[in-house]
Amino acid sequence: MVARQVVSPVLVGRDEALATLLATLETAVGHGPAVALLAGEAGIGKSRLLAEFTASVPARVRVVTGACAELGGDGLAYAPFVAVVRRLISDGPGGRAHELAEWFPQLGAEQPGSGGKHRLHEAVLALFETVAADRPLLVAIEDLHWADAASRELFGFLARNLVQPGVLLAATYRPADAGTARLRPLLSELARGPRTTTLRLGPLSEAQVGDQLAAILGATPDPVAVRRIRERSDGNPLFVEALARAGDRTPDSLRELLLDGPRSLPAPARRLLGTASAAGGRLDHRLLAEVAEPGPDDDLDGLLRELVDRSLLVVDGDGYDFRHALIRQAVYEDLLPGERARVHARYAEALRDSASLAELAAHADAAGDAGTTLTAAHRGAVRAYRSYAYAEQQHLLDRVLQVWDRVDDPAGRLGVDRVDVLTAAAEAAMLTGDYPHGIELASAGLAAVDERAEPDRAALLLEHRGRLSIRLDGTGIEDLERALSLLPDDPDSVQRGRILGMTAMGRPLRTEASRAEFTAALRAGRRTGDPTVTVRGLLGVGAMTGELALLAEAATLAERLDSPDLALTVPMYQAALHTRLGDQQRAVAVARDGIRRARRLGLARSRGAELARYAARGLMLAGRWDEADTVLAEALREDPPRATRLALRILAGRLALLRGELGAAEEAAGLVADVDGHDLLGLLARHQLLCGVAVARGELDVADRYLDRALADPALVVNYGNDSRPVLLAGALVLRARLERGGRAAAGVPARRERIAALDAAIEVDGPFDEAHRTMLRALLDGRGFGPAVAAWRALDQPYELAEALYQHARADRPADAAAHLREAAGLAERLGAAPLAQRIARLAGATPARHGLTDRERDVLELLAAGHSNRQIAQRLHISPSTAGVHVSHILAKLGATSRTEAAAIAHRESLVDHQA
């Protein structure tokens, strides 16, 4: 059985997927822009399906395609979008060629970009929407798993912000590819989109393999051969094709399988295919013609025709690409080392005067040409910086450093020395969030600089390393202080003012040093007119004085800067101040607005996740627990840096504890049990979580150890009370648990009570929120007098804290209206889903917890669960996402003490928790 042709002339086994794609296009045209993602392993048929789809769309739909090259992570910024934008500008309305050429020099004359990454994104967005206003637009991107960071950000921005009906963004990717780890945050975000369709292509069945073989062979295949090929290929269409070519011979490996066709080529065609494989992806015909070396009797077009006819290459616009990346990789790996070097050298020579600097650097490096690699990579890094493609800038600067010592007079060639490159690379690492690597780069630069001879230069490197260290683990102040010591005490120095502001931002706000530094930074910013220095000073002074007007001024000024990082720092300070003032709703609003902006700017993993901490805390305090749960889950899916991730897990653990989900709370506590928080404010709350989990488990000796560690933490007395006093409150609850157990358990209470009271007295009260905490703390320490705490929490409209105060008031003070207090507290606890508090209230009132502490939404979910609905069906009925439905089901099982959905349904019917007619 030997194939008559290589590729099946018909698409097999993908009818349903093709219909879904066409329906998604109809949705995009009729209801608004949509996203279609095709996921599957290499060779499963993603590209073939996408090609069939683009060929099947109505003629009125404009189709443009782009592809991500395997070199993408190595510096090809915006690689798939260059082809898309070029085609749109040349074929349709838009008229933005000059503006977009600022960032995509391949489109025309290079201009220096201005206005920030956001302006670039907006320009591409406007182009897409202008084109779609004329006729529907399908943008198809191949191999998104290889996308460079800038392309991933731009794809996400477009998916979030397109509003013009008629735009469909379609992309293929491999879920198991090494590059998919970088893609995962984007995939998580896209999955949350209201009009995102994800198709996961699986293997072909035996019957479908038979259909594919019949189409390839032109005859009905032998059933035994079909079964054997299905087993050998595991239903992968690409491998089915290769095995059909192999006849009765069974290749020894996948590589041999893929090389069966290429090795059967005549020598000239095989050489040309090897040359094409070194391009790393799609290549223009002109470039291939320049680097190919056909013999005197060979016709290039004839050789290409043979490669296309054998389905090894496919025509792609004015160029070619391999039919499948696995074939390209196998062909490339089959080249001898000398062949590879010579081919890459020809590519480098052909690209020497082109705008494709990252490709030139990659080919030159593979050819062993260190000099060309150095200059091309450095020029490419400068261009990537102008295009706000910081990850590509970092990759290219790393390449410069790798070849530095292999080049004669590298500084003379570039006009900058190695320290300049290290400084720029450290800054790029900070912008990409690669903090450990940035610290290594800055340290290498410092090792090469003489502080006495070049203090300004050393101070800049110390500033970079200090900022990187603060973001990594809260350290870094020593570097910043050292940088200040190297500079003259000049109030008009912008560099000194910038470092003063950064140093103050790295310290707890209540220290005298931070007050002095913020004040000096603001003074320097006002004197010099430098906006960055001024914004930092305004943030610090506004936070210290509680003046929202100063933070509003900082926000206005930051909007004019080309600094998304600093612009997203502003809402953190605003949200924190609103929380201190007791206005949780405004804190949530400003933090959520910041999260949306972070996503638009491609900073969801760093600044967006940090802002989620402020939003989630405000939502928890406002009693909006389900929303807090969603915010935390979304932020954690972004895979944020470690310190931010731990802070988010602490909040998630605290929420689980309040709901009675002890397993989840214990898991979060285990992550931070041995963490040294340094000066990281977000980790101060770990003491609260650890003490609370130990009390919930009844392990009071463990709770004591955690409490002693908390009381010894120096961070308690240098941070604001709204962050420190909740830790003391958790300590008071540990003491209350000991007193309630009585006997020997109460022995150590008086000494610890005195320590907590002393720390309370040492912490300055900071606003209504902190005042309410202090009132509650003192009542807990005294064991009575909870009436003022009830009034304080009621005024701030914080339902959980109010319910706790009402319970304690009824328990300790026994007012005449204690029963009314307990009824109010029980209602609050039930609405929140605060099961442990509801149980304590019920025990005090001599009753059983009403409805197991289920919230209204959870009762709705339980109704449907008891009726036998799946999570997806529940989601459809209640207009929520399936993942949210799953979270509700988990909460219900925990509160009912059920181990399965069936058991939960039985409890619901037995205890009349649901309407039996539902």
Side-chain angles (χ1 to χ4, degrees), residues 3 133 157 192 466 633 700 767 862:
F157 176 86
R192 298 193 295 270
L700 298 188
L862 182 58

Side-chain angles (χ1 to χ4, degrees), residues 293-441:
E293 289 188 330
D297 298 326
D298 295 326
D299 172 35
L300 178 63
D301 289 336
L303 295 176
L304 285 168
R305 170 56 62 189
E306 180 168 11
L307 296 177
V308 170
D309 287 346
R310 291 209 187 193
S311 295
L312 293 167
L313 294 183
V314 294
V315 177
D316 184 359
D318 57 355
Y320 308 92
D321 201 351
F322 275 78
R323 183 168 61 84
H324 200 283
L326 285 177
I327 300 174
R328 184 198 64 77
Q329 183 179 352
V331 171
Y332 180 73
E333 291 175 353
D334 199 41
L335 295 175
L336 296 173
E339 288 181 290
R340 288 185 204 167
R342 288 191 295 273
V343 170
H344 282 296
R346 296 202 299 273
Y347 274 107
E349 184 59 33
L351 293 168
R352 192 170 299 277
D353 298 322
S354 76
S356 304
L357 294 170
E359 291 179 82
L360 171 57
H363 286 298
D365 197 14
D369 183 351
T372 301
T373 302
L374 180 91
T375 54
H378 189 261
R379 288 173 57 208
V382 172
R383 178 177 292 165
Y385 175 79
R386 291 176 183 168
S387 300
Y388 313 100
Y390 302 121
E392 286 64 44
Q393 179 198 9
Q394 182 184 340
H395 283 306
L396 289 165
L397 290 176
D398 283 341
R399 193 185 286 280
V400 170
L401 292 167
Q402 288 164 10
V403 300
W404 189 271
D405 293 332
R406 291 159 43 198
V407 178
D408 293 333
D409 190 22
R413 287 177 179 238
L414 301 181
V416 295
D417 64 14
R418 183 169 175 272
V419 173
D420 291 325
V421 177
L422 287 164
T423 303
E427 184 177 16
M430 181 157 45
L431 293 168
T432 61
D434 191 356
Y435 305 143
H437 184 48
I439 290 170
E440 292 175 1
L441 292 163

Side-chain angles (χ1 to χ4, degrees), residues 552-802:
E553 182 184 352
T556 301
L557 194 55
E559 288 294 329
R560 303 173 192 162
L561 291 172
D562 182 16
S563 176
D565 185 88
L566 186 57
L568 292 171
T569 302
V570 175
M572 295 181 194
Y573 277 75
Q574 290 175 315
L577 183 53
H578 285 309
T579 289
R580 286 162 53 196
L581 296 175
D583 191 346
Q584 307 309 330
Q585 305 295 350
R586 289 188 68 186
V588 169
V590 74
R592 278 188 150 173
D593 181 63
I595 293 170
R596 285 189 289 270
R597 292 183 61 201
R599 288 174 179 162
R600 285 172 61 88
L601 295 167
L603 295 174
R605 179 178 179 269
S606 53
R607 285 331 219 183
E610 186 65 20
L611 279 159
R613 182 167 66 85
Y614 293 87
R617 186 186 185 192
L619 288 165
M620 289 170 63
L621 292 170
R624 296 157 62 181
W625 287 5
D626 284 352
E627 292 178 69
D629 203 18
T630 299
V631 167
L632 289 167
E634 290 177 351
L636 286 166
R637 277 198 295 269
E638 297 291 350
D639 188 27
R642 179 175 179 271
T644 303
R645 184 170 66 252
L646 289 177
L648 292 167
R649 292 300 300 267
I650 289 169
L651 284 171
R654 177 96 179 110
L655 181 56
L657 183 64
L658 296 179
R659 283 174 155 163
E661 299 162 0
L662 191 54
E666 288 174 336
E667 181 182 350
L671 295 174
V672 295
D674 300 314
V675 166
D676 180 2
H678 296 293
D679 295 322
L680 290 171
L681 184 57
L683 301 189
L684 187 59
R686 73 190 186 282
H687 300 305
Q688 193 179 5
L689 174 63
L690 292 167
C691 289
V693 167
V695 169
R697 290 173 57 88
E699 298 174 345
L700 298 188
D701 290 340
V702 175
D704 281 346
R705 289 198 295 274
Y706 285 135
L707 176 55
D708 289 340
R709 186 194 302 178
L711 299 180
D713 190 340
L716 282 176
V717 294
V718 294
N719 282 296
Y720 280 108
N722 71 94
D723 294 304
S724 297
R725 226 174 301 268
V727 176
L728 301 183
L729 205 61
L733 290 172
V734 172
L735 303 187
R736 175 57 47 196
R738 280 204 167 277
L739 290 173
E740 289 177 356
R741 183 172 293 184
R744 295 177 59 186
V749 168
R752 289 192 175 89
R753 181 191 290 128
E754 288 182 11
R755 289 179 65 193
I756 292 174
L759 285 167
D760 174 51
I763 299 172
E764 180 183 347
V765 176
D766 179 51
F769 179 69
D770 189 26
E771 180 64 49
H773 272 113
R774 185 177 71 163
T775 303
M776 185 74 174
L777 173 62
R778 292 187 173 181
L780 280 170
L781 293 176
D782 293 342
R784 56 188 174 80
F786 287 91
V790 170
W793 292 124
R794 194 185 300 281
L796 293 176
D797 195 21
Q798 292 184 203
Y800 181 84
E801 288 75 11
L802 174 58

